[in-house]
Coordinates of all heavy atoms in Angstrom, one line a residue:
C239 N 292.4 220.7 -137.6 CA 292.5 221.7 -138.6 C 291.2 222.7 -138.5 O 290.1 222.2 -138.3 CB 292.5 221.1 -140.0 SG 294.0 220.1 -140.3
V240 N 291.5 224.0 -138.6 CA 290.4 225.0 -138.5 C 290.2 225.5 -139.9 O 291.1 225.9 -140.6 CB 290.7 226.1 -137.5 CG1 289.6 227.1 -137.5 CG2 290.9 225.5 -136.1
R241 N 288.9 225.6 -140.4 CA 288.6 226.1 -141.7 C 289.0 227.6 -141.9 O 288.8 228.4 -141.0 CB 287.1 226.0 -141.9 CG 286.6 226.5 -143.3 CD 285.2 226.0 -143.5 NE 284.4 226.3 -142.4 CZ 283.6 227.4 -142.3 NH1 283.7 228.3 -143.3 NH2 282.8 227.6 -141.3
S242 N 289.7 227.9 -143.0 CA 290.1 229.3 -143.3 C 289.5 229.7 -144.6 O 289.2 228.9 -145.4 CB 291.6 229.4 -143.4 OG 292.1 228.5 -144.4
K243 N 289.2 231.0 -144.7 CA 288.6 231.6 -145.9 C 289.3 232.8 -146.4 O 290.2 233.4 -145.7 CB 287.1 232.0 -145.6 CG 286.2 230.8 -145.3 CD 284.7 231.3 -145.2 CE 283.8 230.1 -145.0 NZ 282.4 230.5 -144.9
S244 N 289.0 233.3 -147.5 CA 289.6 234.5 -148.1 C 289.1 235.7 -147.3 O 288.0 235.8 -146.8 CB 289.2 234.6 -149.6 OG 289.7 235.9 -150.1
L245 N 290.0 236.7 -147.2 CA 289.7 237.9 -146.4 C 289.2 239.1 -147.4 O 289.5 240.2 -147.1 CB 290.9 238.3 -145.6 CG 291.3 237.3 -144.6 CD1 292.5 237.9 -143.8 CD2 290.2 236.9 -143.6
T246 N 288.5 238.7 -148.5 CA 288.1 239.8 -149.4 C 287.0 240.6 -148.8 O 286.8 241.8 -149.2 CB 287.6 239.2 -150.7 OG1 286.6 238.2 -150.4 CG2 288.8 238.4 -151.4
N247 N 286.2 240.1 -147.9 CA 285.1 240.8 -147.3 C 285.3 240.9 -145.8 O 285.5 239.9 -145.1 CB 283.8 240.0 -147.5 CG 282.6 240.9 -147.1 OD1 282.5 241.3 -146.0 ND2 281.6 241.0 -148.0
L248 N 285.5 242.2 -145.3 CA 285.8 242.4 -143.9 C 284.7 241.9 -143.0 O 285.0 241.3 -141.9 CB 286.1 243.9 -143.6 CG 287.3 244.5 -144.4 CD1 287.4 246.0 -144.0 CD2 288.5 243.8 -144.0
V249 N 283.5 242.0 -143.4 CA 282.4 241.5 -142.5 C 282.4 240.0 -142.4 O 282.3 239.4 -141.4 CB 281.0 242.0 -143.1 CG1 279.9 241.4 -142.2 CG2 281.0 243.5 -143.1
A250 N 282.6 239.4 -143.6 CA 282.7 237.9 -143.6 C 283.9 237.4 -142.8 O 283.9 236.4 -142.1 CB 282.8 237.4 -145.0
A251 N 285.0 238.2 -142.9 CA 286.2 237.9 -142.1 C 286.0 237.9 -140.6 O 286.4 237.1 -139.9 CB 287.4 238.8 -142.5
A252 N 285.2 239.0 -140.2 CA 284.9 239.1 -138.8 C 284.1 237.9 -138.3 O 284.2 237.4 -137.2 CB 284.2 240.4 -138.5
E253 N 283.1 237.5 -139.2 CA 282.2 236.4 -138.8 C 283.0 235.1 -138.7 O 282.8 234.3 -137.9 CB 281.1 236.3 -139.8 CG 280.1 237.4 -139.8 CD 279.1 237.3 -140.9 OE1 279.2 236.4 -141.8 OE2 278.1 238.1 -140.9
D254 N 284.0 235.0 -139.6 CA 284.9 233.7 -139.6 C 285.7 233.7 -138.3 O 285.9 232.6 -137.8 CB 285.8 233.7 -140.8 CG 285.1 233.3 -142.1 OD1 283.9 232.8 -142.0 OD2 285.6 233.5 -143.2
V255 N 286.2 234.8 -137.9 CA 287.0 234.9 -136.7 C 286.2 234.4 -135.5 O 286.6 233.6 -134.7 CB 287.6 236.3 -136.4 CG1 288.2 236.4 -135.0 CG2 288.6 236.6 -137.5
L256 N 284.9 234.9 -135.4 CA 284.1 234.5 -134.3 C 283.7 233.0 -134.4 O 283.7 232.3 -133.4 CB 282.8 235.3 -134.3 CG 282.9 236.8 -134.0 CD1 281.6 237.6 -134.2 CD2 283.5 237.0 -132.6
E257 N 283.5 232.6 -135.6 CA 283.2 231.1 -135.8 C 284.4 230.3 -135.4 O 284.2 229.2 -134.8 CB 282.8 230.9 -137.3 CG 282.4 229.5 -137.6 CD 282.0 229.3 -139.0 OE1 282.0 230.3 -139.8 OE2 281.8 228.1 -139.4
D258 N 285.6 230.7 -135.8 CA 286.8 229.9 -135.5 C 287.0 229.9 -134.0 O 287.4 228.9 -133.4 CB 288.0 230.5 -136.2 CG 287.9 230.3 -137.7 OD1 287.1 229.5 -138.2 OD2 288.7 230.9 -138.4
Q259 N 286.8 231.0 -133.3 CA 286.9 231.0 -131.9 C 285.9 230.1 -131.2 O 286.2 229.4 -130.2 CB 286.7 232.4 -131.3 CG 287.8 233.4 -131.7 CD 287.6 234.8 -131.2 OE1 286.5 235.1 -130.7 NE2 288.6 235.6 -131.4

Side-chain angles (χ1 to χ4, degrees):
C239 296
V240 179
R241 179 167 51 93
S242 61
K243 291 186 177 181
S244 174
L245 299 181
T246 55
N247 189 307
L248 294 179
V249 177
E253 292 176 353
D254 284 345
V255 171
L256 294 176
E257 182 181 352
D258 291 347
Q259 290 178 351

